[in-house]
């Protein structure tokens, strides 16, 4: 603190001595005062040029280089101003050249300070030769206009004082300097704080100097004296900013851009997601970026002085060391993948890229480079290879298409199933492989589903090269990106020819069995009729014979109904509706299942919504189909109900529009979405999954809606049958 106080006291004392001395000199001889002040400004301006020009090869400050060139010519014009001052006796043909040179010089200085901000951006460079030549030409024109052509405006009239041109010019110069000050404030982050403060003081004093020169009426007057004092302060401050700082602390001016670049690149290195390193000729780390801690779990200082191979498994270290040595011998770049062990012993795969550092003797003095953690990428590559092998080994054909449907990839099974080579499918439309007809219904349905972003499934057939019929189950699904935009389609082709053949065989056998069953049934039904015609049966015998007859007819109707179901499945059933009393049919169904319900302790309950004096609930339907559909659903409800439960049937609407069958017990979640599909059943000892399937077939044929509603909370299941209007 004592040293700082002494320094400030000394500086203030010296400044006071200089200012008082200059003032006394002005009293003795104003020309002496004027010459000393101007020579100081000339020396400072020339010093700015000397530092900026001679350091232009090592600094990146275009701002400083531009000002350095400008201040050389400012110094020259200030020298002419000093030499042409009234009373110097050098230019005797006119006494007020100095006033004209002053205005020209101040215009040059203020405009240069303003224009220099254009070159603050690193992308804008200064062509030193062109700038120097331009200032040289401009200065030559000013000198010629004042001393030779004598066309420069008059600035001072003896006995009158300053001309309007001189005063207006001083104010314009002040505005230009103010604009430069505003730009300096806007770009203060580009300057060292000390330099910024001195430049602000310099601009402020320059403006005060110009204002002082707007009111004097004599070149030796007091306001002229004050103006030169402020000019002295202005150049002292710019001396402190650019000359003194450029010598005592060159990093603040000359190497400001270099320092900024170093800070910027250090920030980039330390914020990089990769590990940046440097090794010497013995391959020992001389620099390791802080990223090492996140990637390997080591502090950078713990790795310095050690070799990369010290952090590798033994089986990796030897190979990596040999690769480094071979690259160093040939001064070649290094590119390889190595396995490192992190601080917890886990393997980290690193992709190493390095370039040699040349030594003065031409040898490789080390390497600097980047290690990128590619562990996750290698794991993903392994997963992709495994997936590719799985896809290629799959017995099911797998195809990937573009968003438009062009084949981009197909696995081996797809090609083998068609007897073609890979290139024959690539680029072709997927529709060409959906059966024999590229314009058929399968292709149309698939395109419609994919256009709506839905999955399409279907069975298609085609002829092989030998003419055999081949069946495939095809599934085509859209693939979207994270934003939901369509990017691909994936299709699978599963050969189901054997299954189709078995189904066809099964259908043929079933048809034969149904046909063959009808012959003995006709005999069974005929015998009761013959016995009844004889008329010699007792009442009990007649009842038994009629029971046999009705049972035979029921079996015959069941055989006929199974034939009807087959026609429904194949789409050839002809539905002929008629007026049917749905309540009566439902009561018949409930009566037929009463014995089964009693055996399970299940109660059957039916309710109907009717008008007070309305008729029975009549709808348009097929009586047999309606009976079988309701019978299947009631049987399923009784079978699913717990012992002692209740199956309730409600006919809703007048006329009837909805039939609801409700029972205790929720349908398991595993089959809710496929409840009405064929062979889908759950937990039933003798269940086949055909009852609900056949009910759905019959409902579809009759145009009824069939819906399942189940509640885990209430432990109830409801089947709703929606009837169309008559």
């Amino acid at each position: 603190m004592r040293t700082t106080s002494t320094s400030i006291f000394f500086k203030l004392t010296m400044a006071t001595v200089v200012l008082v001395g200059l003032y006394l000199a002005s009293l003795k001889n104003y020309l002496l005062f004027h010459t000393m002040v101007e020579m100081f400004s000339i020396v400072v301006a020339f010093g700015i040029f000397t530092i900026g020009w001679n350091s232009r090869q090592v600094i990146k400050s275009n701002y400083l280089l531009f000002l350095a060139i400008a201040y050389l010519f400012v110094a020259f014009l200030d020298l002419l101003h000093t030499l042409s001052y009234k009373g110097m006796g050098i230019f005797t043909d006119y006494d007020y050249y100095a006033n004209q040179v002053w205005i020209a010089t101040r215009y040059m200085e203020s405009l240069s300070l303003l224009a220099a901000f254009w070159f603050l951006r690193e992308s804008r460079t200064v062509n030193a030769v062109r700038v120097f030549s331009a200032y040289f030409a401009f200065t030559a024109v000013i000198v010629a206009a004042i001393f030779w052509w004598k066309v420069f405006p008059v600035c001072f009239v003896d006995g009158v004082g300053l001309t309007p041109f001189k005063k207006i010019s001083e104010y314009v110069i002040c505005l230009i300097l103010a604009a430069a000050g505003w730009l300096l404030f806007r770009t203060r982050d580009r300057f060292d704080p000390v330099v910024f403060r001195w430049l602000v003081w310099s601009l402020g004093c320059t403006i005060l100097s110009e204002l002082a020169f707007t009111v004097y009426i004599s070149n030796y007057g007091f306001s002229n004296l004050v103006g030169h004092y402020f000019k002295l302060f202005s150049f002292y401050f710019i001396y402190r900013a650019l000359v003194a700082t450029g010598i005592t602390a060159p990093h603040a001016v000359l190497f400001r851009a270099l320092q900024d670049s170093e800070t910027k690149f250090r920030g980039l290195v330390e914020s990089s997601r990769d590990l940046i390193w440097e090794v010497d000729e013995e391959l020992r780390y001389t620099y390791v970026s802080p990223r090492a801690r996140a990637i390997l779990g080591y502090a950078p200082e713990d790795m310095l002085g050690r070799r990369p191979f010290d952090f590798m498994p033994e089986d990796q270290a030897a190979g990596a060391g040999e690769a480094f040595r071979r690259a160093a011998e040939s001064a070649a770049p290094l590119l390889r993948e190595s396995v490192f062990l992190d601080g917890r012993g886990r393997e980290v795969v690193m992709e190493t890229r390095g370039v040699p550092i040349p030594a003065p003797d031409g040898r490789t003095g080390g390497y600097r480079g980047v290690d990128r953690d590619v562990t996750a990428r290698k794991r993903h590559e392994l997963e992709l290879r495994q997936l590719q092998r799985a896809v290629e080994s799959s017995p099911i054909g797998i195809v990937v298409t573009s968003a438009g449907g062009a084949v981009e990839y197909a696995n081996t099974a797809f090609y083998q199933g068609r007897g073609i080579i890979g290139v024959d499918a690539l680029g072709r439309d997927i529709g060409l492989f959906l059966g024999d007809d590229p314009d058929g219904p399968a292709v149309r349905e698939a395109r419609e589903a994919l256009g709506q972003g839905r999955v399409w499934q279907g069975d298609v057939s085609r002829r092989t090269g030998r003419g055999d019929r081949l069946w495939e189950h095809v599934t085509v699904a859209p693939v979207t990106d994270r934003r939901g935009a369509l990017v691909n389609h994936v299709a699978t082709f599963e050969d189901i020819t054997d299954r189709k053949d078995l189904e066809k065989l099964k259908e043929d056998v079933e048809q034969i069995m149904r046909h063959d069953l009808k012959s003995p049934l006709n005999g069974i039904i005929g015998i009761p009729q013959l016995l009844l015609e004889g008329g010699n049966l007792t009442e009990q015998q007649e009842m038994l014979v009629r029971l046999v007859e009705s049972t035979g007819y029921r079996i015959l109707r069941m055989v006929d109904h199974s034939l009807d179901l087959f026609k429904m499945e194949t789409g050839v059933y002809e539905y002929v509706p008629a007026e049917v009393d749905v309540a009566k049919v439902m009561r018949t169904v409930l009566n037929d299942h009463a014995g089964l319900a009693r055996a399970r302790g299940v109660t059957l309950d039916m309710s109907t919504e009717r008008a007070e004096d309305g008729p029975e609930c009549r709808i348009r339907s097929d009586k047999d189909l309606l009976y079988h559909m309701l019978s299947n659903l009631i049987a399923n409800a009784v079978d699913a109900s717990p012992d002692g439960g209740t199956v309730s049937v409600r006919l809703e609407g007048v006329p009837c529009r909805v039939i609801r069958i409700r029972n205790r017990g929720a349908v398991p979640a595993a089959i809710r979405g496929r409840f009405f599909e064929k062979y889908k059943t759950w937990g039933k000892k003798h269940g086949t999954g055909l009852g609900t399937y056949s009910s759905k077939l019959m409902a579809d044929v009759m145009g009824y809606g069939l819906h399942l509603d189940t509640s885990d909370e209430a432990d109830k299941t409801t089947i709703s049958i929606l009837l169309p209007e008559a």
Side-chain angles (χ1 to χ4, degrees):
M1 289 295 292
R2 185 180 302 111
T3 302
T4 303
S5 300
T6 304
S7 176
I8 295 175
F9 177 76
F10 176 76
K11 291 178 180 178
L12 290 175
T13 303
M14 291 300 298
T16 302
V17 170
V18 170
L19 294 176
V20 172
L22 287 173
Y23 178 72
L24 294 175
S26 70
L27 296 178
K28 179 68 176 177
N29 188 316
Y30 189 83
L31 287 176
L32 176 60
F33 162 79
H34 180 265
T35 302
M36 287 190 293
V37 171
E38 294 295 343
M39 290 306 296
F40 174 77
S41 65
I42 292 167
V43 170
V44 169
F46 189 77
I48 294 173
F49 168 75
T50 302
I51 293 175
W53 182 264
N54 290 290
S55 59
R56 69 185 185 279
Q57 302 298 331
V58 296
I59 65 172
K60 300 297 182 180
S61 177
N62 297 310
Y63 174 86
L64 178 59
L65 180 57
F66 179 83
L67 281 184
I69 297 172
Y71 268 97
L72 172 65
F73 293 94
V74 169
F76 174 74
L77 291 178
D78 271 340
L79 179 61
L80 281 181
H81 165 75
T82 304
L83 297 176
S84 62
Y85 205 79
K86 181 181 178 181
M88 292 295 289
I90 297 175
F91 297 95
T92 58
D93 58 327
Y94 182 60
D95 287 337
Y96 302 111
Y97 285 131
N99 303 80
Q100 294 173 309
V101 175
W102 171 270
I103 285 296
T105 308
R106 301 290 73 82
Y107 267 123
M108 177 184 286
E109 182 184 12
S110 60
L111 290 172
S112 298
L113 287 169
L114 184 64
F117 289 97
W118 174 263
F119 297 101
L120 268 181
R121 293 188 181 180
E122 295 178 0
S123 59
R124 295 167 180 164
T125 59
V126 173
N127 186 316
V129 174
R130 290 182 180 178
V131 173
F132 191 96
S133 301
Y135 269 95
F136 183 88
F138 185 62
T139 304
V141 170
I142 290 174
V143 173
I146 295 174
F147 294 97
W148 185 15
W149 300 326
K150 300 183 185 299
V151 294
F152 198 90
V154 175
C155 295
F156 189 86
V157 177
D158 196 15
V160 176
L162 300 177
T163 63
F165 168 76
K166 172 69 162 57
K167 291 182 179 181
I168 293 173
S169 293
E170 296 287 9
Y171 291 127
V172 171
I173 291 168
C174 289
L175 290 175
I176 296 172
L177 292 170
W182 179 76
L183 288 177
L184 178 64
F185 183 78
R186 287 286 303 273
T187 57
R188 61 188 180 279
D189 58 312
R190 305 294 301 273
F191 294 87
D192 182 86
V194 175
V195 174
F196 171 75
R197 286 196 298 271
W198 290 127
L199 288 175
V200 169
W201 281 104
S202 177
L203 286 172
C205 289
T206 305
I207 293 174
L208 292 175
S209 173
E210 298 303 318
L211 292 175
F213 286 122
T214 62
V215 295
Y216 72 90
I217 58 175
S218 170
N219 283 349
Y220 299 97
F222 178 75
S223 61
N224 194 291
L225 176 72
V226 172
H228 279 89
Y229 266 123
F230 278 118
K231 182 184 181 184
L232 177 69
F233 296 151
S234 170
F235 272 82
Y236 171 74
F237 291 139
I238 204 166
Y239 156 79
R240 292 299 304 270
L242 303 180
V243 178
T245 310
I247 295 173
T248 60
H251 65 277
V253 178
L254 304 183
F255 303 105
R256 172 71 179 180
L258 184 61
Q259 185 183 35
D260 290 343
S261 297
E262 180 184 358
T263 302
K264 177 172 65 177
F265 286 110
R266 180 178 293 276
L268 290 173
V269 167
E270 294 183 352
S271 63
S272 171
R273 297 181 63 86
D274 300 328
L275 191 155
I276 302 174
W277 51 266
E278 186 173 290
V279 296
D280 59 17
E281 59 184 358
E282 295 181 0
L283 304 180
R284 297 185 182 276
Y285 284 120
T286 57
Y287 173 78
V288 178
S289 68
R291 188 64 180 168
R293 192 184 302 275
I295 297 177
L296 295 175
Y298 294 106
E301 55 269 20
D302 294 337
M303 300 180 69
L304 297 179
R306 302 175 67 183
R307 300 175 303 170
F309 331 117
D310 297 337
F311 301 92
M312 298 181 183
E314 293 183 3
D315 58 335
Q316 291 279 329
E322 183 62 27
F324 259 100
R325 281 186 284 273
R326 285 199 306 268
E329 289 174 359
S330 58
L334 183 69
L335 175 60
R336 63 174 281 110
E337 287 183 357
S338 304
V339 177
F340 284 70
L341 293 176
D342 67 9
R344 289 182 286 182
R346 295 181 302 182
E347 291 189 351
V348 179
V349 183
M350 304 283 267
E351 182 183 77
T352 299
R353 295 175 180 268
V355 293
I357 303 173
D361 57 2
R363 296 182 299 106
T364 300
Y367 271 84
R368 64 170 58 97
V370 175
D371 282 351
R372 172 164 294 179
D373 183 0
V374 295
T375 308
R377 189 187 76 190
K378 301 299 289 185
R379 183 170 60 250
H380 292 159
E381 289 176 355
L382 176 61
E383 292 173 354
L384 286 174
R385 286 195 297 270
Q386 292 174 336
L387 177 61
Q388 185 176 12
R389 286 195 296 268
V391 170
E392 284 296 323
S393 303
S394 172
I396 299 175
I398 300 175
V399 174
V400 178
T401 77
S402 66
V407 175
E408 295 180 345
Y409 167 81
N411 69 345
T412 303
F414 175 81
Y415 291 124
Q416 289 176 344
R418 285 156 178 75
I420 60 177
I421 59 176
V423 293
D424 288 348
L426 298 183
R428 301 174 69 182
D429 189 84
I430 187 67
L432 298 175
F433 304 101
L434 300 180
D436 291 329
D437 185 3
D439 298 320
V443 177
R444 290 197 300 272
E445 291 174 7
R447 294 195 187 283
E448 180 181 354
L450 295 179
Q452 298 172 357
R454 297 185 288 108
V455 176
W456 178 83
Q457 297 186 69
D459 296 341
V460 299
S461 67
R462 59 182 177 85
R463 292 286 182 181
T464 65
R466 296 180 300 178
D468 299 328
R469 174 65 62 182
L470 180 71
W471 282 91
E472 291 178 313
H473 179 73
V474 182
T475 301
V476 187
V479 180
T480 58
D481 59 17
R482 295 179 179 177
R483 296 173 296 178
L486 179 67
V487 291
N488 292 103
H489 293 107
V490 176
T492 59
F493 293 77
E494 181 182 3
D495 187 349
I496 57 171
T497 305
D498 292 341
R499 192 182 81 188
K500 285 289 186 180
D501 291 342
L502 287 174
E503 289 179 354
K504 182 64 170 61
L505 178 61
K506 177 184 174 184
E507 291 169 1
D508 292 342
V509 170
E510 288 178 349
Q511 281 188 289
I512 293 171
M513 290 180 64
R514 292 184 184 106
H515 180 271
D516 292 346
L517 278 172
K518 295 182 73 172
S519 296
L521 278 174
N522 289 329
I524 293 173
I525 295 171
I527 292 173
Q529 291 175 349
L530 292 175
L531 291 174
L532 290 171
E533 289 175 359
N536 55 352
L537 299 176
T538 66
E539 183 178 348
Q540 185 178 7
Q541 288 174 338
E542 184 177 345
M543 182 185 68
L544 292 174
V545 169
R546 290 189 182 280
L547 179 61
V548 172
E549 182 185 30
S550 64
T551 302
Y553 275 115
R554 182 176 295 179
I555 294 174
L556 182 60
R557 285 196 299 271
M558 290 174 64
V559 172
D560 289 338
H561 180 62
S562 67
L563 290 172
D564 290 340
L565 289 177
F566 174 75
K567 293 178 181 179
M568 293 177 195
E569 286 186 311
T570 55
V572 297
Y573 182 82
E574 185 176 353
Y575 174 56
V576 181
E579 190 176 80
V580 177
D581 186 338
V582 66
K584 186 175 181 179
V585 174
M586 178 57 77
R587 281 195 295 270
T588 302
V589 170
L590 294 178
N591 289 334
D592 290 345
H593 288 82
L596 175 63
R598 282 194 298 272
R600 294 286 309 280
V602 175
T603 301
L604 300 178
D605 177 65
M606 175 178 167
S607 61
T608 306
E609 290 184 13
R610 303 180 187 175
E612 293 182 359
D613 56 351
E616 295 288 336
C617 186
R618 295 185 175 276
I619 62 172
R620 297 283 296 174
S621 184
D622 182 302
K623 185 176 181 180
D624 289 337
L625 286 185
L626 180 62
Y627 172 86
H628 286 295
M629 180 188 73
L630 295 175
S631 180
N632 287 339
L633 295 176
I634 292 296
N636 188 74
V638 171
D639 193 29
S641 294
D643 293 346
T646 299
V647 174
S648 63
V649 178
R650 181 169 177 80
L651 278 59
E652 301 177 0
V654 180
C656 183
R657 287 290 173 263
V658 181
I659 304 172
R660 300 196 193 278
I661 302 172
R662 183 176 288 110
N663 63 273
R664 289 285 303 279
V667 174
I671 64 168
R672 288 174 189 173
R674 301 181 296 168
F675 183 74
F676 295 107
E677 292 183 15
K678 200 173 187 178
Y679 307 126
K680 295 299 182 292
T681 185
W682 184 278
K684 295 181 181 179
K685 189 173 182 180
H686 303 292
T688 62
L690 293 175
T692 53
Y693 169 71
S694 62
S695 296
K696 184 69 167 62
L697 273 179
M698 291 181 277
D700 290 344
V701 166
M702 294 185 289
Y704 297 172
L706 200 58
H707 298 285
L708 168 72
D709 295 299
T710 188
S711 171
D712 290 321
E713 293 79 7
D715 192 29
K716 289 185 179 181
T717 296
T718 302
I719 300 293
S720 300
I721 306 166
L722 309 182
L723 306 175
E725 295 183 5

